[in-house]
């Protein structure tokens, strides 16, 4: 089962490519939403939000990050990369 075919990531404070612009672009594709906005967690705090579309497309935000997400949120970025490479969903409950 392919959980993540393609992944768009955006820091939620990114002024260069804001979340709203990416959401607008994704809406223009007209893809069906398979899982609406849900938080993902980095230990006991919200790491960001994710939405999934048909065809395995996911859009993930990283809380408190700007355009260079790893610089702003290195631990959340590492978690995101690890889950992507392992083809696993991000945690939807605090751990």
């Amino acid at each position: 089962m392919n959980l993540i075919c393609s992944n768009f990531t955006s820091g939620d404070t990114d002024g260069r490519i804001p979340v709203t612009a990416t959401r607008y672009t994704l809406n223009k594709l007209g893809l069906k939403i398979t899982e609406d906005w849900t938080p993902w967690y980095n230990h006991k705090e919200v790491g960001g939000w994710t939405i999934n579309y048909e065809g395995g497309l996911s859009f993930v935000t990283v809380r408190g990050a700007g355009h260079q997400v790893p610089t702003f949120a290195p631990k959340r970025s590492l978690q995101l990369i690890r889950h992507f490479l392992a083809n696993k969903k991000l945690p939807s409950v605090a751990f």
Side-chain angles (χ1 to χ4, degrees):
M1 173 186 237
N2 188 9
L3 295 176
I4 301 175
C5 173
S6 186
N7 191 355
F8 289 98
T9 305
S10 184
D12 63 5
T13 63
D14 187 345
R16 186 170 300 262
I17 305 172
V19 170
T20 53
T22 305
R23 289 182 64 187
Y24 178 78
T25 302
L26 289 169
N27 286 340
K28 286 291 196 177
L29 293 175
L31 299 174
K32 179 181 173 187
I33 295 172
T34 58
E35 186 176 352
D36 213 346
W37 287 102
T38 56
W40 64 271
Y41 288 85
N42 180 260
H43 299 289
K44 296 190 185 282
E45 63 183 29
V46 173
W49 293 82
T50 184
I51 186 170
N52 297 307
Y53 298 90
E54 65 186 350
L57 178 69
S58 298
F59 176 48
V60 180
T61 68
V62 180
R63 187 177 62 81
H67 188 65
Q68 296 176 335
V69 173
T71 302
F72 288 90
K75 289 180 183 177
R76 290 183 200 117
S77 298
L78 182 59
Q79 180 183 6
L80 179 64
I81 291 167
R82 284 182 174 160
H83 279 77
F84 177 78
L85 292 175
N87 199 29
K88 293 184 179 178
K89 285 186 165 187
L90 289 160
S92 58
V93 294
F95 57 96

